[in-house]
Amino acid sequence: AQSVTQLGSHVSVSEGALVLLRCNYSSSVPPYLFWYVQYPNQGLQLLLKYTTGATLVKGINGFEAEFKKSETSFHLTKPSAHMSDAAEYFCAVSDRGDTGRRALTFGSGTRLQVQP
Amino acid sequence: DSGVTQTPKHLITATGQRVTLRCSPRSGDLSVYWYQQSLDQGLQFLIQYYNGEERAKGNILERFSAQQFPDLHSELNLSSLELGDSALYFCASSQDSPYGYTFGSGTRLTVV
């Protein structure tokens, strides 16, 4: 069974500082990997995804993540935090298996606070 | 607007009651997924339908059921509600691809 671990339920950074949100997965084969963001009282929005190919993935709003198979990690970074980045971030994985069985397994989420 | 429509946005009901949550997927998407988000359990996959048929089941209670209709909209039925069923219920839709999917804005269910 797949699992996702997000280290740090709360991360606080200053505006302009580097954002690093950690995600490690456990899976028998490398899964598809995703980062979603959830703003208060809203649904989940896809930030970026890794399916195949280049291991450094760029997403929306200046975020990027690097798939490291040897470390089973998919950490999310942004060089310079903006106040509008304050939200909850979820790492998720889905199976490469049966076509169409794409249920996501989510991590527990990391709440990002950005201090002025 | 993500293109996935969920109704109602908020629902308050009493223990023991039954409710139906509705989801209209994005145009062209054949798969619909239901997720529950609660403070203690986080985001949990409940069930997936693909073109009207159940495709995968997650941590869905026997008191809960779902279906997908010929027009591809889906309904999640929750019965014999308990206080612990209070949560955000999300629907997501996708084409049959590995490229993630689109979430609706959710239905907040409060059981009192």
Side-chain angles (χ1 to χ4, degrees), chain A residues 32 34 36 38 41-46 49 51-52 88 90 94-95 99-108, chain B residues 31 33 35 37 42-45 48 55-57 88 90 94 96-106 108:
Chain A
Y32 296 121
F34 307 85
Y36 283 86
Q38 185 178 28
N41 300 315
Q42 294 188 27
L44 290 96
Q45 181 183 8
L46 180 66
K49 58 183 181 285
T51 55
T52 189
E88 186 136 24
F90 292 92
S94 78
D95 198 354
T99 298
R101 295 182 189 271
R102 302 291 178 209
L104 290 173
T105 299
F106 284 91
S108 54
Chain B
S31 272
Y33 304 76
Y35 286 82
Q37 185 179 30
L43 271 158
Q44 299 274 323
F45 166 64
Q48 177 198 0
R55 181 160 279 188
K57 227 171 191 178
L88 257 174
F90 286 108
S94 76
D96 199 11
S97 78
Y99 303 126
Y101 34 72
T102 304
F103 280 83
S105 56
R108 183 173 294 279

Side-chain angles (χ1 to χ4, degrees), chain B residues 44-98:
Chain B
Q44 299 274 323
F45 166 64
L46 296 178
I47 197 163
Q48 177 198 0
Y49 276 81
Y50 175 78
N51 202 20
E53 295 194 0
E54 183 185 305
R55 181 160 279 188
K57 227 171 191 178
N59 300 323
I60 189 165
L61 299 172
E62 284 194 12
R63 300 183 284 109
F64 296 0
S65 65
Q67 57 186 133
Q68 187 178 28
F69 295 86
D71 67 352
L72 301 178
H73 91 271
S74 178
E75 293 181 355
L76 179 67
N77 301 297
L78 315 177
S79 61
S80 303
L81 284 167
E82 302 174 0
L83 295 177
D85 298 327
S86 296
L88 257 174
Y89 290 85
F90 286 108
C91 166
S93 74
S94 76
Q95 298 178 357
D96 199 11
S97 78

Side-chain angles (χ1 to χ4, degrees), chain A residues 39-102:
Chain A
Y39 298 100
N41 300 315
Q42 294 188 27
L44 290 96
Q45 181 183 8
L46 180 66
L47 274 178
L48 50 78
K49 58 183 181 285
Y50 171 76
T51 55
T52 189
T55 56
L56 181 62
V57 180
K58 294 187 185 301
I60 62 171
N61 302 338
F63 284 94
E64 61 183 38
E66 186 171 11
F67 167 58
K68 292 187 176 181
K69 183 178 175 181
S70 61
E71 298 178 9
T72 60
S73 69
F74 191 57
H75 302 331
L76 182 70
T77 60
K78 181 173 181 178
S80 176
H82 192 274
M83 297 296 289
S84 61
D85 295 327
E88 186 136 24
Y89 292 80
F90 292 92
C91 182
V93 301
S94 78
D95 198 354
R96 288 180 181 267
D98 283 349
T99 298
R101 295 182 189 271
R102 302 291 178 209

